Amino acid sequence: MGAMANPVILTVDDDPVVSRAVARDIRRRYGDRYRVLRATSGPEALDALREVKLRGEQVALLLADHRMPEMTGVEFLEAAMDIFPAARRVLLTAYADTDAAIEAINVVDLDHYLLKPWHPPEEKLYPVVDGLLDAWAVTPDAASTEIRVVGHRWSAPSFKVRDFLARNLVPYRWLLTDDPEGARLLDAAGATEADVPLVVTAEGKALIAPSEAELAGLAGLTVVPAADFYDLVVIGGGPAGLGSAVYGASEGLRTVLVERRATGGQAGQSSRIENYLGFPDGVSGAQLTDRARRQAVKFGAELLSAREVVGLSEAGGARLLRFGDGTEIAAHTVVLATGVSYRVLDAPGLADFTGRGVFYGSTATEAPSCVEQDVYIVGGANSAGQAAVHFSRYAARVHLLIRGADLTASMSRYLIDQLERIDRITVHPHTAVVGGAGDDHLQRLTLCDTRTGEARSVDTSWLFIFIGAEPRTDWLDGVLVRDGRGFIVTGPDLISGGNRPAGWSLARDPYHLETSLPGVFAAGDVRAESVKRVASAVGEGAMAVSLVHRYLEAQ
């Protein structure tokens, strides 16, 4: 193997004179350790980043001029975050643009902004860049390690591997079995097309049909807890769980977050969240999740991936948590933030095509494959609307199927207005999916008018389902009080006829987010009567930590 290429510093400015000056100054100081690239527009710079990504190289620093005609510096940096999230970001501005630079701190997690001109660079440019490069060197982008996945286009196990990697923000290269390189990798691993998915690391280690725990280990995710006992265990890595982890760790609690699949939960799959406080231009679920995860780690929280908690019990002052493999950890307190999952659409034929044309939730891995095809989405809430907007960038037409007469009862007004402005999206009221058919993947759907019962068949290979919400709480049956739908009951709702819940051992009433087991709290969508919004989930996660402190102080 050849020597690892130097990390990249990329400069972007549409003014040729300024562009050359920036690259010259940067190259003069850092050219011996970094490869300096320059671009004259945002799109050109994004193409350069994608090429760097494919080569498995690293990007340390991005410097972008704010005022560019095709794409502003802020827009470029936001798009670049999805390609190289760990790269440090600098906005080059004139004095008149300082307000835009300050706003960009929220939009793109800006590290610094520089006023032009910066002469002399020894005083105004290099000290800033030195600090940012030093900070980047501590936690460089992991994209230099390329994982390759070989599989069939319509293989459910292959989709499961790609979805796990994508949701955990692990870069990988997807190869079909009939690609020349894919065939070579299968041959080198002694595998056949029947053995896929095959996962190959940059070091050449090959795994056939790996489990999620094995994938997590390959990707450098933590799967084994560092200790046996914690102050706080957070179960679930959605907005509520990440909120608890950030506040718990930042306030000195030894905190571990345990996630079954990938941090972010349903919110992490959203292509765009536009009504979250502090992000006037919106933020993708992946970006929000990545920032929250990095923030939790910065404060010292431990994150465990691909670990499922299957049991909770009381052992004196401790709370025991049992994993699926039989191992246990214990803690003074627990926050349950396991969220909800989409309900299965019970229609003949659909179950056979799960992962092969039928998908639950929005899967970023599939959107580029839908180019110039018809996509069908079932659901009328915000998650379905956000998915429709996202898929409209790729598909020939997006069909949104709802049982009601319109979207006003279940979707935010801003999103309804957005859907109405996109010609490629068609909303079909009073419509249900009653069947699916195909050979090795979904090829046809049967739709029914819920008013008349009239059925019709449509050709499509893409169905994305966003219906209902079911809490993942069966493992808590007999341990905690739940409502009729399985949501965890907390706080004052546990008091019935002036009586505390059965088995309650303390002289006080349960705290607001506390469950029927003292020291165990619930936050976010899994909690009965919670507001199903990202902002409220984060708020409940933070509030749960304040109640954890109150509980610990009273022990």
Side-chain angles (χ1 to χ4, degrees):
M1 291 182 61
M4 181 69 71
N6 285 337
V8 169
I9 296 175
L10 176 65
T11 71
V12 193
D13 199 306
D14 65 308
D15 184 330
V17 175
V18 177
S19 178
R20 285 192 294 270
V22 177
R24 179 198 64 221
D25 287 346
I26 294 293
R27 192 173 286 113
R28 180 186 302 158
R29 174 92 166 200
Y30 308 101
D32 60 328
R33 291 161 289 153
Y34 295 87
R35 189 157 66 94
V36 181
L37 303 179
R38 70 182 182 93
T40 56
S41 71
E44 180 186 339
L46 290 176
D47 286 342
L49 288 181
R50 295 185 185 102
E51 184 176 343
V52 170
K53 186 73 158 185
L54 286 175
R55 289 200 296 265
E57 298 175 16
Q58 297 174 315
V59 173
L61 181 67
L62 303 167
L63 298 98
D65 180 54
H66 177 56
R67 292 197 178 189
M68 294 187 291
E70 284 186 86
M71 177 184 284
T72 69
V74 173
E75 290 170 340
F76 160 72
L77 291 173
E78 185 175 14
M81 284 178 67
D82 289 335
I83 306 174
F84 287 99
R88 300 294 163 163
R89 292 172 283 277
V90 177
L91 193 66
L92 307 177
T93 67
Y95 282 102
D97 294 325
T98 53
D99 287 343
I102 292 170
E103 290 180 11
I105 292 172
N106 273 339
V107 177
V108 298
D109 204 10
L110 192 68
D111 293 297
H112 203 90
Y113 68 90
L114 282 171
L115 295 175
K116 298 187 295 184
W118 51 80
H119 296 296
E122 289 77 9
E123 293 180 15
K124 299 183 178 180
L125 177 64
Y126 296 150
V128 171
V129 174
D130 283 346
L132 294 176
L133 291 177
D134 287 345
W136 174 83
V138 176
T139 55
D141 198 312
S144 59
T145 300
E146 183 185 60
I147 290 177
R148 287 157 291 177
V149 179
V150 184
H152 295 300
R153 176 68 197 86
W154 297 112
S155 160
S158 297
F159 163 74
K160 189 175 181 180
V161 166
R162 292 187 294 126
D163 188 55
F164 179 85
L165 294 174
R167 291 183 62 184
N168 281 285
L169 305 180
V170 177
Y172 70 91
R173 187 178 179 193
W174 166 237
L175 300 164
L176 295 173
T177 54
D178 54 4
D179 287 337
E181 185 175 354
R184 285 193 293 269
L185 287 173
L186 284 173
D187 184 60
T192 69
E193 291 189 13
D195 297 321
V196 297
L198 169 70
V199 178
V200 183
T201 69
E203 296 77 22
K205 183 178 182 180
L207 281 85
I208 295 174
S211 67
E212 289 187 347
E214 289 175 318
L215 279 176
L218 283 180
L221 303 174
T222 302
V223 296
V224 178
D228 297 324
F229 196 92
Y230 295 84
D231 295 318
L232 171 63
V233 174
V234 180
I235 306 176
L242 286 167
S244 289
V246 167
Y247 282 92
S250 68
E251 294 173 10
L253 298 177
R254 183 161 193 185
T255 302
V256 60
L257 182 149
V258 182
E259 170 53 44
R260 186 172 62 96
R261 290 214 68 217
T263 51
Q266 289 187 10
Q269 295 179 275
S270 296
S271 57
R272 203 76 179 163
I273 302 170
E274 297 196 53
N275 59 352
Y276 187 65
L277 184 67
F279 292 88
D281 297 314
V283 62
S284 75
Q287 289 173 353
L288 189 63
T289 297
D290 182 53
R291 295 181 192 185
R293 181 166 54 186
R294 286 190 284 127
Q295 195 173 19
V297 171
K298 181 186 79 170
F299 285 124
E302 188 180 333
L303 304 186
L304 296 185
S305 300
R307 297 301 301 268
E308 184 174 11
V309 179
V310 298
L312 168 66
S313 60
E314 184 178 11
R319 304 294 174 259
L320 295 180
L321 296 160
R322 188 175 74 258
F323 294 119
D325 61 1
T327 60
E328 292 182 336
I329 57 173
H332 289 302
T333 59
V334 175
V335 172
L336 299 170
T338 50
V340 294
S341 58
Y342 293 112
R343 283 194 290 112
V344 173
L345 181 55
D346 187 16
L350 293 188
D352 298 334
F353 300 115
T354 301
R356 297 186 295 136
V358 176
F359 306 94
Y360 287 87
S362 180
T363 56
T365 55
E366 302 308 297
S369 300
C370 299
V371 172
E372 297 307 315
Q373 300 184 49
D374 277 22
V375 169
Y376 285 77
I377 295 174
V378 179
N382 280 12
S383 53
Q386 289 161 354
V389 172
H390 180 62
F391 281 105
S392 70
R393 300 170 188 165
Y394 302 88
R397 182 154 293 280
V398 176
H399 303 269
L400 187 59
L401 312 179
I402 60 174
R403 286 182 170 272
D406 56 45
L407 295 165
T408 56
S410 56
M411 189 176 291
S412 297
R413 184 70 246 178
Y414 83 89
L415 198 49
I416 295 174
D417 293 340
Q418 198 171 353
L419 295 178
E420 291 174 348
R421 291 194 297 268
I422 301 175
D423 293 337
R424 291 188 179 191
I425 297 176
T426 301
V427 179
H428 299 267
H430 306 294
T431 304
V433 176
V434 295
D439 296 323
D440 64 336
H441 67 281
L442 178 70
Q443 293 172 300
R444 291 175 301 283
L445 287 176
T446 302
L447 308 181
C448 177
D449 187 312
T450 58
R451 298 164 299 180
T452 65
E454 181 181 354
R456 61 189 176 95
S457 178
V458 295
D459 293 331
T460 186
S461 295
W462 306 100
L463 177 65
F464 297 88
I465 299 166
F466 301 81
I467 56 171
E470 293 181 332
R472 303 169 180 151
T473 60
D474 289 347
W475 61 284
L476 294 168
D477 186 29
V479 179
L480 301 180
V481 174
R482 300 180 297 156
D483 68 12
R485 296 185 297 161
F487 291 92
I488 299 171
V489 180
T490 61
D493 293 335
L494 288 167
I495 308 299
S496 178
N499 297 316
R500 295 168 183 148
W504 184 259
S505 58
L506 302 181
R508 61 166 175 82
D509 290 346
Y511 295 140
H512 182 64
L513 300 180
E514 198 167 19
T515 70
S516 56
L517 179 58
V520 177
F521 301 83
D525 289 0
V526 74
R527 192 177 68 82
E529 305 304 324
S530 64
V531 178
K532 305 301 188 279
R533 287 289 185 269
V534 175
S536 62
V538 173
E540 288 194 4
M543 181 180 176
V545 172
S546 70
L547 297 173
V548 162
H549 282 294
R550 190 186 303 181
Y551 171 84
L552 292 173
E553 289 166 1
Q555 297 307 298

